[in-house]
Amino acid sequence: MSGHGTPIPMTSRKSGPLRGTANVPGDKSISHRALIFGALVIGETKISGLLEGEDVLDTAAAMRAFGATVDHMGPGEWCVQGVGVGGFSEPDDVIDSGNSGTGVRLIMGAMSTSPITATFTGDASLRSRPMARITDPIGLFGATSYGRKGGRLPMTIVGARDPIPVNYKVPMPSAQVKSAVLLAGLNAPGQTTVIEKEATRDHTERMLQGFGADVEVTESAEGRVIVLTGQPELKPQKITVPRDPSSAAFPVCAALIVEGSDVLVPNIGLNPTRAGLFTTLREMGADLTFENEREEAGEPVADLRARFSPELKGVEVPPERAANMIDEYPILSVVASFAEGATTMRGVKELRVKESDRIDAMARGLEACGVTIEEDEDTMIVHGRGADGVPGGATCESRLDHRIAMSFMCLGMATQKAVSIDDGGPIATSFPIFEPLMKELGAQIVRANR
Ligand code: S3P
């Protein structure tokens, strides 16, 4: 879906206490991969707990366009009849990935080693994001790309007729790029090697192994080395998608800053490549506990319990943790606003090329709400004002970015004056039940300007 129609202004005001259980939706990263891998397997892959947000629904539609049968069986229950590795057929129309960088980049990788042509587009946010990070490596396999200036969408990709395997060092910490290369490597004969200097989320490696591909991961002086043997015969799977730690971050962080709160967020995937925020929050002095720690579908899972934490302290977030919490910096900057002292986030320049420039979006909104921010290309420093010390009282831009919209809505639950956003529409891309779920806990959110 391109664009989000009529803007939905939203306002949140001092709330609480937030109390109860927050059942957040399925993991977005795993949901995209479940549909794409399911489409690359002959036979029936059954998925439960799929995130039914716009991003993932766009990927489901794309998989149908490439020839897979994708059926919605019930809430969160999906069934994919795949076409096999190399079995994609040519879509007869443009693929619209809406707001989803993960969707479009993984699909570009997956189709790039089949002899078909496809044209991709998305909403204004996705059309502004860099795609050379995908077209460069898929070019090494033999695919050709024709995009707009700066490698932007819309873009047509002509898949390689005789793909060759590649050895690729990913130039930036990006699980999307790593995954696109591995997906391209699936239909190339021989071994495709991906090297990443910093470990990024490893769902693709884990899930490919689960589907029966030969994927070996080792550590070297250069970083993580992932070797995939191409043209495997994948076997259909039953996948239970864990709940999304990146969505859990919102009720968890809101509970930490709203007086009197005590919120349980059950069944959260705590893959170590995703859990950096929770480590950081504990370092800040957050009352956050993991209960009932266990393993489900090969992923570590726990119930998170977050309670109001009036004595949060600013911290230095180690740059080497950035990849493990890259989507959580916007909401961390909100929590940091209620801490004593500065919270320094370095090594975060990838935030500038997300659904929006997230450093700029958060800095401008927080400043408008009375928080002092320092920033450079790769750094953001939030000067905390302590519990109950943030004035609020502004309307912030959500910039077609779901995580920016939800972060400012959580901010307003604890500021002295209400906080508004110009458009809450993008929230539906990843967390369609955010508004009712937060209201059920006690949050004061309305669909209107202040
Ligand atoms: C994702 C990877 C990350 C993340 C995005 C989901 C994935 O993007 O920000 O929300 O599922 O692979 P990058 O690869 O750009 O870091």
Side-chain angles (χ1 to χ4, degrees):
M1 266 172 271
S2 284
H4 294 280
T6 313
I8 305 172
M10 291 170 75
T11 297
S12 65
R13 61 186 76 250
K14 210 177 214 1
S15 310
L18 304 179
R19 284 180 184 263
T21 300
N23 285 312
V24 303
D27 189 278
K28 182 152 73 73
S29 293
I30 296 176
S31 294
H32 283 295
R33 286 161 174 79
L35 292 168
I36 296 170
F37 297 158
L40 291 170
V41 186
I42 293 181
E44 187 176 270
T45 288
K46 289 191 166 152
I47 310 167
S48 60
L50 190 89
L51 164 64
E52 290 169 357
E54 287 172 5
D55 277 11
V56 176
L57 298 179
D58 287 334
T59 288
M63 291 302 97
R64 290 192 188 104
F66 281 101
T69 304
V70 182
D71 291 319
H72 187 198
M73 315 303 285
E77 305 288 324
W78 291 69
C79 196
V80 184
Q81 294 278 353
V83 292
V85 168
F88 274 178
S89 49
E90 189 164 279
D92 57 16
D93 203 350
V94 173
I95 301 297
D96 187 344
S97 284
N99 192 249
S100 182
T102 305
V104 82
R105 289 176 172 145
L106 267 55
I107 297 166
M108 283 175 165
M111 61 72 61
S112 67
T113 44
S114 291
I116 55 173
T117 295
T119 300
F120 297 89
T121 192
D123 70 6
S125 155
L126 192 57
R127 281 184 270 113
S128 73
R129 297 180 68 183
M131 295 296 154
R133 54 181 59 198
I134 303 298
T135 54
D136 287 351
I138 66 176
L140 303 175
F141 286 95
T144 314
S145 313
Y146 304 92
R148 284 193 305 134
K149 206 163 102 201
R152 303 297 201 265
L153 301 181
M155 175 173 288
T156 296
I157 296 180
V158 181
R161 192 158 290 280
D162 296 304
I164 45 170
V166 311
N167 188 320
Y168 193 68
K169 216 190 237 175
V170 184
M172 70 290 290
S174 170
Q176 292 175 359
V177 175
K178 167 178 69 177
S179 303
V181 177
L182 290 171
L183 281 161
L186 275 181
N187 198 36
Q191 291 189 323
T192 285
T193 302
V194 185
I195 302 169
E196 57 177 4
K197 203 166 117 218
E198 292 142 90
T200 62
R201 65 192 68 195
D202 62 355
H203 307 302
T204 297
E205 297 91 303
R206 288 179 188 239
M207 290 176 76
L208 279 176
Q209 284 166 340
F211 274 93
D214 183 359
V215 179
E216 281 184 19
V217 183
T218 51
E219 298 292 335
S220 78
E222 287 185 300
R224 272 179 94 236
V225 181
I226 304 142
V227 181
L228 165 76
T229 304
Q231 300 181 325
E233 201 157 309
L234 303 178
K235 295 185 185 50
Q237 296 297 299
K238 273 203 172 109
I239 299 172
T240 305
V241 180
R243 296 178 193 261
D244 198 327
S246 300
S247 296
F250 295 102
V252 162
C253 289
L256 300 179
I257 57 175
V258 172
E259 195 173 341
S261 297
D262 184 348
V263 170
L264 186 71
V265 195
N267 285 325
I268 299 306
L270 286 179
N271 180 316
T273 60
R274 298 285 298 279
L277 171 73
F278 305 122
T279 308
T280 303
L281 292 173
R282 281 172 153 179
E283 289 171 0
M284 296 174 81
D287 185 349
L288 174 64
T289 49
F290 295 173
E291 299 176 357
N292 203 6
E293 288 183 57
R294 58 205 183 273
E295 194 156 294
E296 273 175 25
E299 297 271 350
V301 169
D303 304 336
L304 306 189
R305 182 158 192 182
R307 297 184 182 89
F308 175 52
S309 304
E311 291 180 9
L312 295 167
K313 301 266 175 296
V315 293
E316 283 259 351
V317 185
E320 58 276 12
R321 197 181 290 158
N324 296 347
M325 53 178 289
I326 194 67
D327 290 336
E328 281 66 74
Y329 283 98
I331 189 64
L332 176 65
S333 69
V334 169
V335 175
S337 303
F338 295 91
E340 293 290 344
T343 294
T344 303
M345 313 169 202
R346 294 192 201 282
V348 293
K349 67 171 182 288
E350 274 293 304
L351 293 177
R352 298 214 180 261
V353 290
K354 295 292 177 188
E355 285 83 332
S356 67
D357 175 341
R358 286 182 170 162
I359 296 179
D360 191 64
M362 289 311 300
R364 300 296 79 78
L366 288 172
E367 280 168 353
C369 291
V371 181
T372 304
I373 306 290
E374 286 174 76
E375 63 170 296
D376 67 25
E377 185 55 24
D378 199 26
T379 309
M380 181 169 174
I381 303 172
V382 177
H383 292 274
R385 298 179 60 97
D388 203 29
V390 183
T395 298
C396 307
E397 292 176 3
S398 61
R399 303 193 185 178
L400 286 180
D401 189 329
H402 52 130
R403 297 197 204 286
I404 300 300
M406 289 187 278
S407 296
F408 286 128
M409 284 296 88
C410 292
L411 177 77
M413 293 170 204
T415 45
Q416 293 153 3
K417 289 192 198 135
V419 172
S420 295
I421 48 174
D422 57 347
D423 186 12
I427 293 172
T429 62
S430 71
F431 198 162
I433 59 166
F434 173 79
E435 192 186 343
L437 179 147
M438 294 305 299
K439 280 181 171 167
E440 179 76 28
L441 295 176
Q444 300 223 20
I445 307 180
V446 290
R447 291 193 173 209
N449 269 319
R450 281 174 302 134

